[in-house]
Amino acid sequence: MRLSKRLESIVRFVPNNSIVADIGTDHGYVPFELIDSKKSKCVIATDISKDSLNKTISSISRDLLISGKIITRVGNGLETIKPFEVDTVIIAGMGGTLISDILRENIKKADSFVNFILQPMVASTELRIFLNENSFEIIDEDLVSEDGFIYEIIYAKRGLELISDDIYFEIGKKLIQKKHPLLKKFIDNKIEESYSIILELDNHPSSPKAQERKQELVKKIAKYKEVLQCL
């Protein structure tokens, strides 16, 4: 089975010999790769839907080498994981707000885990703000281009991180530091999206809120361009 580029990036962040919880595993592609490659000793694959998890359960039953190394559990978020039961938590393929909610609802339990690999489909800014405000330190990030979309993958641990500029909530500081090859395209997309919103706001010139939002976007575009100059 060949993983998508997005899932390959997630797997790369998983430390060797780890015990992993894959939250919202769906088909279970990541757990299978982690065990098959011997990167992980055991993976707990969870999903809120029994029907979705049945896909993983069915595949496990056909592979005797995998059986016993992937444990499946039905449940919401981190509710099915015990404190200290795993060292690495993967929460991928969800919105950044939902990922934040999952961590927020289990913030004390999170202290017992070491590594957090998070892949927001949207609202990555909100997720980075949550991480910063709740004592998570972003260790590394990655960008992956697939099917015309650029995905963001965040690797975090518990810890304090000083953010000197709000732009780092929108564009990961680690991505800028290592001048990620996809970063220019990623920022260009953000600039294009911002200009599109400004055009829509210009249809409501008499609205104070619209004009306030327009000014925010103009400042944001200037920040984006500052980052581009550093690349």
Side-chain angles (χ1 to χ4, degrees), residues 135-159:
S135 300
F136 288 86
E137 178 185 5
I138 294 178
I139 305 301
D140 200 359
E141 294 199 42
D142 193 17
L143 296 174
V144 172
S145 179
E146 191 172 64
D147 298 328
F149 190 80
I150 296 180
Y151 295 96
E152 301 169 76
I153 298 96
I154 298 171
Y155 172 38
K157 293 188 176 188
R158 294 296 267 159

Side-chain angles (χ1 to χ4, degrees), residues 1-9 11-12 27-30 32-34 36 144-146:
M1 177 186 64
R2 182 171 178 80
L3 293 181
S4 66
K5 292 180 181 178
R6 176 178 68 92
L7 297 183
E8 282 179 350
S9 178
V11 167
R12 279 196 298 271
H27 287 79
Y29 294 147
V30 167
F32 271 85
E33 176 62 23
L34 290 172
D36 190 52
V144 172
S145 179
E146 191 172 64

Side-chain angles (χ1 to χ4, degrees), residues 23-60:
I23 308 302
T25 194
D26 194 32
H27 287 79
Y29 294 147
V30 167
F32 271 85
E33 176 62 23
L34 290 172
I35 296 300
D36 190 52
S37 65
K38 297 182 172 55
K39 193 162 194 180
S40 298
K41 295 180 285 187
C42 176
V43 181
I44 301 172
T46 81
D47 206 292
I48 195 170
S49 165
K50 175 68 173 177
D51 289 339
S52 292
L53 204 55
N54 278 339
K55 304 168 192 173
T56 303
I57 294 170
S58 177
S59 298
I60 293 171

Side-chain angles (χ1 to χ4, degrees), residues 26 41 57 59 74 86 102 138 141 145 173-174 202 209 223:
D26 194 32
K41 295 180 285 187
I57 294 170
S59 298
V74 177
V86 301
I102 289 171
I138 294 178
E141 294 199 42
S145 179
K173 187 176 181 180
K174 302 299 181 183
D202 283 341
K209 286 187 176 180
K223 279 286 190 181

Side-chain angles (χ1 to χ4, degrees), residues 132 160-164 173:
N132 184 255
L160 299 176
E161 183 175 14
L162 176 64
I163 299 297
S164 58
K173 187 176 181 180

Side-chain angles (χ1 to χ4, degrees), residues 169-185:
F169 291 127
E170 296 209 33
I171 305 169
K173 187 176 181 180
K174 302 299 181 183
L175 297 172
I176 298 171
Q177 288 176 340
K178 63 184 181 183
K179 297 184 178 180
H180 194 286
L182 284 175
L183 190 53
K184 183 181 184 304
K185 180 174 175 56

Side-chain angles (χ1 to χ4, degrees), residues 15-16 22 26 67 70 110 114 134 153 159 168 188 199 211 223:
N16 290 331
D22 183 27
D26 194 32
S67 181
I70 298 178
V114 180
N134 290 272
I153 298 96
Y168 295 134
D188 284 340
L199 286 175
Q211 293 309 305
K223 279 286 190 181

